[in-house]
Amino acid sequence: MPSRTPQEVAAHAAAAADLPAVDAGVADCFACPRLVAWREEVALVKRASFRDQDYWGRPVPGFGPADATIAILGLAPAAHGGNRTGRIFTGDRSGDVLFAALHRAGLANQPTSVAADDGLTLHHTRIFAAVRCAPPDNKPLPVERDTCAPWLHRELDLIRPTLRVVVALGAFAWAAWWPAMTAVYGGRPPVPRPAFGHGAQVSVAGAPDLLGCYHVSQQNTFTGRLTPAMLDDVFADAKRRAGLA
């Protein structure tokens, strides 16, 4: 049964026995009317360059193995990326940058991510977003973030036995981590709460280390605010903290 209210999201997420159940629940969520309307409109109108393709047009589940030691937390799917292909960071320029970096780090078997059936495999790494639907202007509302949070919390809980490091892509993901950490690990954020910044590092006893990284948006990568070398440094640090290097 689809989730159509915040209460149903919370109940369905809590009842998910494993990651496939979480992924199925995410893909069948209709709890945020504004996001549902937007993702479906985008899938119907389409971008001209993708007019012959069938859009996914639904919430986008996480991607990666159940025994991941590194998690990458993003903001939300892109309207013509994940909302089109059905896989997070797949089919857009942000994904081009991210997966190329993961491949250089030995965390992905190939440097590109163009379609859900393109053979991409992640090693030791799972990727998911704080909000699972593409939002207008890439700006989810606080109520949408909070409604979607139980999916993130349950996903984190399921990979908790192996997870050692979380890389937050951007300030939105950084902010979303703190309530998720408290819900899943019971830890309290440091006071004052650490500010987001590229290269920021926070360790809280009993929880994964948190690393800050500028978002792999075109605005950041095209202007040079985020370079391939900067991404390489973040993932090298993540691998070291996860015991992979």
Side-chain angles (χ1 to χ4, degrees):
M1 180 180 297
S3 300
R4 297 188 180 276
T5 68
Q7 294 77 18
E8 289 174 345
V9 170
H12 290 169
D18 52 25
L19 286 178
V22 171
D23 294 345
V26 165
D28 206 19
C29 188
F30 293 82
C32 298
R34 188 183 78 114
L35 298 187
V36 172
W38 174 249
R39 78 194 192 204
E40 293 181 352
E41 177 184 347
V42 170
L44 180 64
V45 176
K46 306 181 182 181
R47 177 173 286 174
S49 55
F50 303 129
R51 62 182 177 274
D52 295 329
Q53 298 186 20
D54 292 329
Y55 274 54
W56 171 253
R58 299 166 69 182
V60 181
F63 175 62
D67 60 351
T69 54
I70 298 171
I72 299 173
L73 177 59
L75 191 163
H80 302 282
N83 189 59
R84 172 174 61 89
T85 64
R87 192 171 71 194
I88 192 71
F89 281 113
T90 296
D92 59 29
R93 294 293 181 87
S94 296
D96 292 343
V97 173
L98 177 61
F99 286 106
L102 290 174
H103 183 254
R104 291 193 302 272
L107 297 173
N109 70 323
Q110 61 189 43
T112 57
S113 179
V114 297
D117 59 354
D118 63 5
L120 176 67
T121 299
L122 296 181
H123 308 308
H124 312 291
T125 305
R126 188 164 175 89
I127 303 177
F128 39 68
V131 174
R132 305 303 171 100
C133 289
D137 300 319
N138 291 321
K139 294 179 179 179
L141 301 176
V143 66
E144 294 162 348
R145 174 202 62 205
D146 294 345
T147 297
C148 205
W151 297 123
L152 172 61
H153 298 173
R154 183 58 180 147
E155 194 161 359
L156 284 167
D157 191 42
L158 288 167
I159 63 175
R160 178 177 177 174
T162 57
L163 185 61
R164 298 292 177 265
V165 186
V166 174
V167 178
L169 296 179
F172 189 96
W174 181 269
W177 168 248
W178 303 114
M181 183 192 73
T182 298
V184 177
Y185 293 91
R188 293 186 175 275
V191 179
R193 186 169 297 185
F196 170 76
H198 184 84
Q201 307 171 10
V202 182
S203 296
V204 175
D209 289 349
L210 177 67
L211 304 180
C213 179
Y214 288 145
H215 196 279
V216 288
S217 65
Q218 291 186 56
Q219 180 179 359
N220 286 337
T221 58
F222 283 10
T223 61
R225 188 179 191 220
L226 178 65
T227 66
M230 292 166 68
L231 270 175
D232 291 347
D233 287 345
V234 169
F235 289 128
D237 190 12
K239 288 179 63 178
R240 179 183 61 80
R241 292 169 183 266
L244 300 175

